[in-house]
Amino acid sequence: MNHVYLSFPSLTSTNDYSKDHYSSLDNGTVVMTKHQTRGKGRLGRTWVDEEGALLFSFLLKGERYEPFISFLPLIAGAAMEETLLEEGVKTQIKWPNDIILNDKKCCGILLEAISDSKLQALVVGIGINLNNESFPSELDTATSLYLETNKQYDKKSIMQKFLGHFDELLAKQTQGDSAYYAILKEHDYLKGKELLLNYYGEHKRVTSLGVNEKGALMVKDESGKTIMVTSGEATIVKNRR
């Protein structure tokens, strides 16, 4: 996939810019910024950033991407996993859209669709804490590569490596090769863990069985019933002493 790069000192969010201008942007366009004034995470959350973070979105235009909507965030997660492993950093993929480093979140992925009567485009937003030196005290579950490795990372290099891996994994997926899934299975953060699952407004205590090839989380509830979860929020149950 060809990528055109647009860079801005500040935006409300790279996803917002991509959605607002998608009709005039080429497929594969990458939108970058140093700072987001209204960065977004899943479920309406705010993404807190600082200069050390790598913030970008890229555009996938056309109906041909519709079959992959449910697991595109996991393809992106697998691509980021490969990228960070090349840097010598061992991370894990947390369903549906996070990258975890030493049990803390270092990267979030946000997929947004643009539709009228049919799918017009998908925007894949990436926020990864690369060189952040600190976080607000309330974000005690966040970390950066710098804080964990004491190394500085080149933003452009990380972004380009990620896009190369994403393009390769997506191209394979369009040909029926779920190469991303082998990466996901090997680095699945939730598999085997006890979770508190927000499932259609009901909180259920479950055990994760892993993610299937379609991007759904498979869990077993307390009665032993297996449930396929396509959306929701999963929190790891901490062991109590």
Side-chain angles (χ1 to χ4, degrees):
M1 185 185 305
N2 293 323
H3 294 289
V4 175
Y5 295 88
L6 303 178
S7 182
F8 301 89
S10 180
L11 290 172
T12 56
S13 81
T14 55
N15 269 35
D16 282 349
Y17 183 93
S18 300
K19 290 189 298 180
D20 290 345
H21 298 86
Y22 82 93
S23 60
S24 62
L25 299 176
D26 294 332
N27 184 48
T29 295
V30 180
V31 177
M32 305 168 284
T33 189
K34 291 182 178 180
H35 176 63
Q36 295 184 143
T37 58
R38 292 201 300 272
K40 294 180 292 185
R42 283 186 72 248
L43 306 177
R45 295 190 181 99
T46 299
W47 175 273
V48 178
D49 70 78
E50 63 166 53
E51 189 102 355
L54 169 60
L55 307 167
F56 67 99
S57 300
F58 57 98
L59 194 63
L60 302 173
K61 296 182 73 170
E63 289 181 275
R64 64 186 182 276
Y65 295 111
E66 190 161 13
F68 313 119
I69 288 178
S70 64
F71 48 91
L72 265 175
L74 294 170
I75 293 177
M80 186 60 74
E81 186 74 23
E82 287 195 302
T83 300
L84 297 181
L85 282 172
E86 286 181 359
E87 299 293 324
V89 182
K90 295 181 179 180
T91 55
Q92 292 175 286
I93 304 167
K94 179 179 180 289
W95 179 91
N97 67 328
D98 292 337
I99 300 295
I100 303 297
L101 175 56
N102 294 337
D103 292 319
K104 293 187 175 184
K105 179 176 175 176
C106 68
C107 176
I109 299 160
L110 178 63
L111 177 71
E112 295 188 276
I114 304 166
S115 303
D116 43 35
S117 58
K118 61 183 180 180
L119 180 69
Q120 298 296 322
L122 296 170
V123 178
V124 184
I126 307 291
I128 176 167
N129 300 323
L130 289 182
N131 302 319
N132 310 58
E133 296 183 359
S134 64
F135 293 93
S137 58
E138 64 269 20
L139 294 181
D140 57 353
T141 58
T143 193
S144 70
L145 270 64
Y146 170 77
L147 288 174
E148 301 296 330
T149 67
N150 202 32
K151 295 179 183 178
Q152 294 282 330
Y153 295 85
D154 182 83
K155 292 181 181 181
K156 183 177 180 181
S157 174
I158 295 291
M159 180 177 63
Q160 290 181 335
K161 287 179 181 179
F162 164 81
L163 289 168
H165 286 303
F166 180 88
D167 291 349
E168 181 180 3
L169 291 173
L170 182 57
K172 287 181 177 179
Q173 189 65 42
T174 61
Q175 297 162 7
D177 178 359
S178 299
Y180 89 94
Y181 188 59
I183 301 167
L184 172 60
K185 285 200 299 182
E186 184 178 353
H187 303 281
D188 186 343
Y189 181 67
L190 293 182
K191 188 172 183 179
K193 290 184 170 66
E194 190 176 357
L195 310 174
L196 187 63
L197 180 69
N198 186 343
Y199 183 66
Y200 293 103
E202 179 185 0
H203 291 282
K204 299 176 74 73
R205 201 174 180 116
V206 299
T207 300
S208 171
L209 303 176
V211 180
N212 68 16
E213 286 192 40
K214 296 299 183 182
L217 178 67
M218 306 302 296
V219 301
K220 182 172 64 176
D221 69 13
E222 291 178 297
S223 71
K225 180 182 177 181
T226 298
I227 302 170
M228 183 174 72
V229 183
T230 56
S231 65
E233 188 78 357
T235 305
I236 294 174
V237 176
K238 303 294 184 182
N239 292 328
R240 296 179 181 176
R241 295 182 180 179

PDB file of all heavy atoms in Angstrom, residues 197-204 231-233:
ATOM      1  N   LEU A 197     -16.065  -9.256  32.985  1.00  0.00           N
ATOM      2  CA  LEU A 197     -16.470  -8.868  31.648  1.00  0.00           C
ATOM      3  C   LEU A 197     -17.753  -8.058  31.685  1.00  0.00           C
ATOM      4  O   LEU A 197     -18.750  -8.481  32.267  1.00  0.00           O
ATOM      5  CB  LEU A 197     -16.677 -10.127  30.802  1.00  0.00           C
ATOM      6  CG  LEU A 197     -17.116  -9.929  29.355  1.00  0.00           C
ATOM      7  CD1 LEU A 197     -15.996  -9.301  28.546  1.00  0.00           C
ATOM      8  CD2 LEU A 197     -17.533 -11.270  28.751  1.00  0.00           C
ATOM      9  N   ASN A 198     -17.703  -6.880  31.076  1.00  0.00           N
ATOM     10  CA  ASN A 198     -18.915  -6.085  30.885  1.00  0.00           C
ATOM     11  C   ASN A 198     -19.572  -6.572  29.604  1.00  0.00           C
ATOM     12  O   ASN A 198     -19.150  -6.248  28.503  1.00  0.00           O
ATOM     13  CB  ASN A 198     -18.559  -4.594  30.785  1.00  0.00           C
ATOM     14  CG  ASN A 198     -19.797  -3.716  30.736  1.00  0.00           C
ATOM     15  OD1 ASN A 198     -20.893  -4.187  30.463  1.00  0.00           O
ATOM     16  ND2 ASN A 198     -19.624  -2.439  30.997  1.00  0.00           N
ATOM     17  N   TYR A 199     -20.618  -7.370  29.751  1.00  0.00           N
ATOM     18  CA  TYR A 199     -21.232  -8.066  28.627  1.00  0.00           C
ATOM     19  C   TYR A 199     -22.689  -7.624  28.505  1.00  0.00           C
ATOM     20  O   TYR A 199     -23.543  -8.015  29.295  1.00  0.00           O
ATOM     21  CB  TYR A 199     -21.140  -9.584  28.859  1.00  0.00           C
ATOM     22  CG  TYR A 199     -21.660 -10.454  27.754  1.00  0.00           C
ATOM     23  CD1 TYR A 199     -21.038 -10.475  26.514  1.00  0.00           C
ATOM     24  CD2 TYR A 199     -22.765 -11.279  27.951  1.00  0.00           C
ATOM     25  CE1 TYR A 199     -21.497 -11.289  25.495  1.00  0.00           C
ATOM     26  CE2 TYR A 199     -23.237 -12.103  26.945  1.00  0.00           C
ATOM     27  CZ  TYR A 199     -22.602 -12.100  25.713  1.00  0.00           C
ATOM     28  OH  TYR A 199     -23.061 -12.907  24.705  1.00  0.00           O
ATOM     29  N   TYR A 200     -22.952  -6.725  27.533  1.00  0.00           N
ATOM     30  CA  TYR A 200     -24.292  -6.156  27.337  1.00  0.00           C
ATOM     31  C   TYR A 200     -24.838  -5.564  28.636  1.00  0.00           C
ATOM     32  O   TYR A 200     -25.996  -5.778  28.996  1.00  0.00           O
ATOM     33  CB  TYR A 200     -25.254  -7.209  26.778  1.00  0.00           C
ATOM     34  CG  TYR A 200     -24.913  -7.641  25.369  1.00  0.00           C
ATOM     35  CD1 TYR A 200     -24.286  -8.852  25.133  1.00  0.00           C
ATOM     36  CD2 TYR A 200     -25.212  -6.819  24.281  1.00  0.00           C
ATOM     37  CE1 TYR A 200     -23.958  -9.250  23.840  1.00  0.00           C
ATOM     38  CE2 TYR A 200     -24.896  -7.213  22.994  1.00  0.00           C
ATOM     39  CZ  TYR A 200     -24.280  -8.421  22.781  1.00  0.00           C
ATOM     40  OH  TYR A 200     -23.955  -8.805  21.498  1.00  0.00           O
ATOM     41  N   GLY A 201     -23.978  -4.821  29.336  1.00  0.00           N
ATOM     42  CA  GLY A 201     -24.382  -4.152  30.561  1.00  0.00           C
ATOM     43  C   GLY A 201     -24.356  -5.027  31.793  1.00  0.00           C
ATOM     44  O   GLY A 201     -24.566  -4.541  32.912  1.00  0.00           O
ATOM     45  N   GLU A 202     -24.120  -6.318  31.607  1.00  0.00           N
ATOM     46  CA  GLU A 202     -24.065  -7.243  32.738  1.00  0.00           C
ATOM     47  C   GLU A 202     -22.609  -7.589  33.034  1.00  0.00           C
ATOM     48  O   GLU A 202     -21.833  -7.878  32.128  1.00  0.00           O
ATOM     49  CB  GLU A 202     -24.833  -8.522  32.393  1.00  0.00           C
ATOM     50  CG  GLU A 202     -24.812  -9.564  33.509  1.00  0.00           C
ATOM     51  CD  GLU A 202     -25.484 -10.872  33.113  1.00  0.00           C
ATOM     52  OE1 GLU A 202     -25.965 -10.959  31.959  1.00  0.00           O
ATOM     53  OE2 GLU A 202     -25.521 -11.786  33.940  1.00  0.00           O
ATOM     54  N   HIS A 203     -22.249  -7.545  34.298  1.00  0.00           N
ATOM     55  CA  HIS A 203     -20.880  -7.890  34.681  1.00  0.00           C
ATOM     56  C   HIS A 203     -20.809  -9.378  34.998  1.00  0.00           C
ATOM     57  O   HIS A 203     -21.475  -9.874  35.903  1.00  0.00           O
ATOM     58  CB  HIS A 203     -20.433  -7.053  35.883  1.00  0.00           C
ATOM     59  CG  HIS A 203     -20.249  -5.604  35.560  1.00  0.00           C
ATOM     60  ND1 HIS A 203     -19.134  -5.129  34.908  1.00  0.00           N
ATOM     61  CD2 HIS A 203     -21.052  -4.528  35.753  1.00  0.00           C
ATOM     62  CE1 HIS A 203     -19.247  -3.820  34.733  1.00  0.00           C
ATOM     63  NE2 HIS A 203     -20.404  -3.435  35.233  1.00  0.00           N
ATOM     64  N   LYS A 204     -19.987 -10.081  34.229  1.00  0.00           N
ATOM     65  CA  LYS A 204     -19.865 -11.520  34.391  1.00  0.00           C
ATOM     66  C   LYS A 204     -18.410 -11.862  34.731  1.00  0.00           C
ATOM     67  O   LYS A 204     -17.483 -11.292  34.157  1.00  0.00           O
ATOM     68  CB  LYS A 204     -20.252 -12.246  33.105  1.00  0.00           C
ATOM     69  CG  LYS A 204     -21.680 -11.995  32.664  1.00  0.00           C
ATOM     70  CD  LYS A 204     -21.956 -12.659  31.336  1.00  0.00           C
ATOM     71  CE  LYS A 204     -22.100 -14.151  31.435  1.00  0.00           C
ATOM     72  NZ  LYS A 204     -23.363 -14.563  32.068  1.00  0.00           N
ATOM     73  N   SER A 231     -17.746  -7.683  21.436  1.00  0.00           N
ATOM     74  CA  SER A 231     -17.439  -6.324  21.893  1.00  0.00           C
ATOM     75  C   SER A 231     -17.643  -6.268  23.397  1.00  0.00           C
ATOM     76  O   SER A 231     -18.358  -7.088  23.966  1.00  0.00           O
ATOM     77  CB  SER A 231     -18.329  -5.280  21.205  1.00  0.00           C
ATOM     78  OG  SER A 231     -19.681  -5.459  21.562  1.00  0.00           O
ATOM     79  N   GLY A 232     -17.022  -5.296  24.005  1.00  0.00           N
ATOM     80  CA  GLY A 232     -17.158  -5.167  25.452  1.00  0.00           C
ATOM     81  C   GLY A 232     -15.863  -4.744  26.092  1.00  0.00           C
ATOM     82  O   GLY A 232     -14.918  -4.315  25.419  1.00  0.00           O
ATOM     83  N   GLU A 233     -15.823  -4.881  27.391  1.00  0.00           N
ATOM     84  CA  GLU A 233     -14.678  -4.444  28.174  1.00  0.00           C
ATOM     85  C   GLU A 233     -14.305  -5.556  29.145  1.00  0.00           C
ATOM     86  O   GLU A 233     -15.146  -6.073  29.879  1.00  0.00           O
ATOM     87  CB  GLU A 233     -15.025  -3.175  28.958  1.00  0.00           C
ATOM     88  CG  GLU A 233     -13.854  -2.521  29.647  1.00  0.00           C
ATOM     89  CD  GLU A 233     -12.970  -1.715  28.706  1.00  0.00           C
ATOM     90  OE1 GLU A 233     -13.235  -1.710  27.480  1.00  0.00           O
ATOM     91  OE2 GLU A 233     -12.019  -1.103  29.191  1.00  0.00           O
TER      92      GLU A 233
END
